[in-house]
Amino acid sequence: MSWARALARLSILRFAAIGALGMPVDAGVLWLMTHRAGLDPYSGRIVSWLCAATFTWAGNRYFTFAAARSRGLVATLREWGRFLAANAVGGLVNIGLYSVLVRFAPPPLNDLTMALVLGVLLGLLFNFTLSRKLVFRGPL
């Protein structure tokens, strides 16, 4: 089976692909917040996570869970809110690991980008499960 076919059939792979596309958003916003906006690495990471979570919600809404997405403005806003709330668990795991690595890990694990990537990967498992079960439940 080709990679493209596997991606089309397995929602976890589609979810991961959207997450991978969200990583440059996350990393780019983190860089902007810490290098241009003057935020500390922890505040910058919260802002970058919120931006990336919104980006990945939109991608998953149309690519991973298209048949189960909400319809209408109010339902769509509620879905976005559920996505952020459900993925906050994965976000806390993500940001928690990031913070521990930045604060306590030796190089290269304490590098902002390395810590970001490792946090994102661990958070992915939580995010997919909660998104599938709590967020994308069909048109409401």
Side-chain angles (χ1 to χ4, degrees), residues 32-110:
L32 286 172
M33 294 297 103
T34 58
H35 290 85
R36 295 291 182 245
L39 293 180
D40 63 83
Y42 309 103
S43 300
R45 184 66 181 95
I46 291 169
V47 173
S48 73
W49 178 82
L50 285 170
C51 291
T54 299
F55 174 87
T56 58
W57 162 74
N60 282 305
R61 178 176 160 70
Y62 289 99
F63 184 59
T64 307
F65 303 108
R69 72 180 189 261
S70 294
R71 306 290 196 266
L73 180 60
V74 172
T76 299
L77 290 174
R78 285 185 184 140
E79 179 186 87
W80 176 72
R82 284 193 316 269
F83 186 84
L84 292 180
N87 284 263
V89 174
L92 289 173
V93 169
N94 179 340
I95 292 170
L97 179 58
Y98 167 87
S99 297
V100 167
L101 292 174
V102 167
R103 176 75 172 108
F104 299 110
L109 294 175
N110 68 346

Side-chain angles (χ1 to χ4, degrees), residues 101-102 105-116 118:
L101 292 174
V102 167
L109 294 175
N110 68 346
D111 175 75
L112 298 184
T113 303
M114 176 69 76
L116 171 82
L118 294 174

Side-chain angles (χ1 to χ4, degrees), residues 49 80-91 126-127 129-132 134-135:
W49 178 82
W80 176 72
R82 284 193 316 269
F83 186 84
L84 292 180
N87 284 263
V89 174
F126 289 88
N127 291 344
T129 301
L130 294 174
S131 290
R132 190 181 70 209
L134 300 176
V135 177

